[in-house]
């Protein structure tokens, strides 16, 4: 089974990214052949500064590796190191109805927010379909927000196969219900675009300050509180054992336990959870040659797979 996922190098990794995508990918690497990449072509849709983009690619590479990728098993690479993905995008563009892209939620949301879309943003799902189909992926672990993009990918694979013969594997997405959407500081979906994220890596003091800013209701220390509607408890569940969560819930109901106490418990549980990854990250930062070497090897392996698919695609459409 081939498992593939990607992440844009567009800011600091947050716990939504980790539980929504990375953790799934890291766990699935044991179950099949995993391909993971840094989607730098996708990032160009927002016209980032060149130096910033370069720096963020390296940063996300280190962070992703620190989260537990087994580099003997996983093919980890930078999207732009395999330019065949752009060639395939063009092929898929020609079986992609415009209406399919006009209905894409993530595109419509950005337009509704007043963002003036470029054609790259509009055809973002076609490039994403290319990422997935180029490597003949079976399973794509992503957060719930990406589900429609995977459905578009399936549509394009089916349309292409119907028109040109059986070229592509039709992929499925993998979204465990328990981690489908991780809430942010304000209770909405955690996202860089909403400025409500809790980063995984960073200075302890800064992370504590962020955790302390999670929005709650205004009940006082002595008041009994409802654990089932509180965002702090929802996040605590990601890091604590069932027993610890039940204990926190009891304290909420009993009163005399403030939101500050709960946030401190969350902060400590989070620090413990990510401690081994922080350590690994420091080691990687001290050995960047190793990180670049992993990406180089990944690009070579991914490139060979991409050529196999493109050979079939070119023949199927009548180019070469
Ligand atoms: P952001 O919304 O912060 O820009 P990305 O779009 O870069 O995050 O998401 C990268 C990956 O992390 C995707 O697979 C996405 O589905 C997942 N992800 C991001 N935020 C969340 C969240 N709050 N809950 C679950 N998964 C998430
Ligand atoms: N669109 C994804 C996101 O923003 C990133 C991505 C690009 C991706 N290509 C992909 C994810 C292919 C899975 C498979 O999170």
């Amino acid at each position: 089974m081939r498992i593939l996922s990607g992440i844009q190098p567009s800011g600091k990794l947050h716990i939504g990214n980790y539980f929504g995508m990375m953790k799934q990918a890291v766990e699935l690497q044991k179950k099949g052949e995993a391909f993971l990449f840094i989607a730098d072509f996708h990032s160009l849709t927002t016209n980032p500064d060149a130096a910033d983009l370069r720096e963020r690619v390296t940063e996300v590479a280190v962070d992703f590796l620190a989260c537990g990728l087994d580099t003997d098993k996983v093919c980890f690479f930078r999207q732009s190191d395999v330019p065949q993905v752009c060639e395939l995008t063009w092929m898929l563009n020609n079986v992609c109805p415009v209406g399919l892209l006009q209905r894409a939620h993530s595109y419509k949301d950005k337009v509704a927010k007043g963002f003036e879309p470029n054609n790259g943003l509009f055809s973002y799902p076609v490039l994403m379909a290319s990422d997935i189909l180029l490597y003949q992926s079976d399973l794509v672990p992503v957060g719930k927000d990406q589900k429609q993009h995977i459905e578009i990918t399936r549509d394009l694979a089916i349309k292409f196969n119907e028109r040109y013969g059986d070229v592509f594997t039709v992929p499925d997405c993998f979204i465990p219900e328990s981690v489908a959407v991780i809430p942010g500081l304000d209770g909405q979906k955690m996202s860089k675009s909403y400025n409500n994220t809790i980063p995984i890596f960073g200075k302890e003091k800064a992370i504590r300050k962020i955790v302390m800013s999670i929005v709650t209701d205004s009940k006082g220390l002595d008041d009994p509180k409802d654990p089932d509607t509180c965002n702090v408890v929802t996040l605590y569940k990601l890091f604590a054992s069932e027993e610890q969560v039940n204990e926190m819930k009891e304290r909420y109901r009993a009163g005399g336990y403030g939101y500050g106490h709960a946030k401190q418990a969350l902060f400590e549980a989070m620090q413990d959870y990510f401690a081994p990854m922080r350590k690994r990250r420091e080691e990687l930062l001290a050995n960047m040659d190793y990180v670049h070497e992993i990406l180089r090897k990944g690009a070579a392996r991914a490139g060979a797979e991409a050529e196999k698919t493109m050979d079939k695609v070119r023949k199927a459409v009548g180019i070469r």
Side-chain angles (χ1 to χ4, degrees):
M1 181 174 61
R2 182 158 298 165
I3 299 139
L4 172 136
S5 196
I7 187 160
Q8 287 194 60
S10 53
K12 299 223 172 306
L13 280 192
H14 55 74
I15 62 176
N17 298 141
Y18 180 75
F19 287 100
M21 193 275 260
M22 288 172 157
K23 184 163 181 267
Q24 261 62 264
V26 168
E27 279 168 9
L28 284 170
Q29 71 186 351
K30 296 177 207 129
K31 302 215 167 100
E33 196 188 2
F35 278 57
L36 294 170
F37 65 92
I38 303 166
D40 53 351
F41 277 147
H42 276 108
S43 282
L44 292 177
T45 55
T46 58
N47 305 136
D49 175 77
D52 279 356
L53 178 60
R54 231 169 265 131
E55 199 181 304
R56 283 201 241 117
V57 167
T58 319
E59 195 178 343
V60 89
V62 170
D63 289 357
F64 214 150
L65 286 169
C67 285
L69 293 191
D70 177 349
T71 48
D72 288 335
K73 285 199 189 130
V74 177
C75 175
F76 184 52
F77 63 104
R78 187 178 9 213
Q79 183 186 33
S80 59
D81 281 341
V82 189
Q84 286 90 334
V85 76
C86 295
E87 187 183 357
L88 181 56
T89 300
W90 184 249
M91 309 290 183
L92 295 177
N93 267 330
N94 301 303
V95 294
C96 181
V98 169
L100 195 63
L101 302 179
Q102 282 168 331
R103 287 191 294 276
H105 305 309
S106 111
Y107 173 74
K108 287 199 295 189
D109 287 353
K110 292 203 173 93
V111 174
K113 285 197 180 105
F115 200 84
E116 202 174 309
N118 54 41
N119 192 36
L121 185 72
F122 182 62
S123 60
Y124 182 110
V126 188
L127 178 59
M128 181 155 162
S130 274
D131 287 324
I132 298 170
L133 302 179
L134 186 59
Y135 302 103
Q136 305 286 359
S137 318
D138 298 292
L139 205 62
V140 187
V142 278
K144 202 173 180 174
D145 58 312
Q146 296 296 315
K147 189 168 181 242
Q148 193 190 26
H149 287 155
I150 313 295
E151 283 160 2
I152 294 175
T153 302
R154 290 173 56 88
D155 273 6
L156 296 184
I158 292 167
K159 278 188 200 306
F160 191 97
N161 285 351
E162 274 172 4
R163 171 73 184 80
Y164 294 110
D166 227 1
V167 173
F168 295 122
T169 303
V170 181
D172 283 309
C173 56
F174 179 77
I175 308 174
E177 226 13 78
S178 57
V179 293
V181 183
I182 308 296
L185 299 173
D186 53 1
Q188 300 188 72
K189 178 202 158 205
M190 184 176 291
S191 171
K192 277 159 288 191
S193 6
Y194 302 149
N195 248 326
N196 63 355
T197 62
I198 305 179
I200 304 176
F201 301 115
K203 296 234 173 346
E204 194 170 320
K205 226 171 137 184
I207 295 184
R208 185 171 182 278
K209 199 169 159 203
I210 292 171
V211 171
M212 289 296 160
S213 74
I214 295 174
V215 178
T216 58
D217 61 28
S218 51
K219 291 208 169 82
L221 176 69
D222 293 329
D223 298 327
K225 302 174 180 66
D226 182 0
D228 299 322
T229 55
C230 181
N231 207 9
V232 182
V233 181
T234 309
L235 292 170
Y236 189 60
K237 283 183 193 158
L238 297 169
F239 303 102
S241 65
E242 209 180 319
E243 206 182 335
Q244 288 171 312
V245 173
N246 287 337
E247 211 172 290
M248 181 180 276
K249 285 183 170 180
E250 280 308 306
R251 290 188 167 147
Y252 263 65
R253 293 192 188 100
Y257 184 73
Y259 289 121
H261 295 127
K263 290 176 188 177
Q264 179 65 27
L266 167 63
F267 168 70
E268 284 169 17
M270 239 182 84
Q271 290 298 100
D272 287 350
Y273 189 95
F274 289 121
M277 296 171 217
R278 290 214 179 94
K279 183 163 171 277
R280 177 86 186 113
R281 185 167 177 272
E282 289 307 314
E283 289 163 5
L284 289 164
L285 284 172
N287 193 0
M288 287 306 290
D289 286 350
Y290 169 78
V291 175
H292 292 299
E293 182 55 21
I294 296 287
L295 289 175
R296 256 195 302 276
K297 276 196 195 145
R301 187 164 156 219
E305 287 299 318
E307 262 311 301
K308 274 197 232 163
T309 302
M310 284 318 295
D311 195 40
K312 283 192 200 165
V313 172
R314 291 177 198 126
K315 280 190 185 126
V317 301
I319 289 194
R320 275 181 238 172

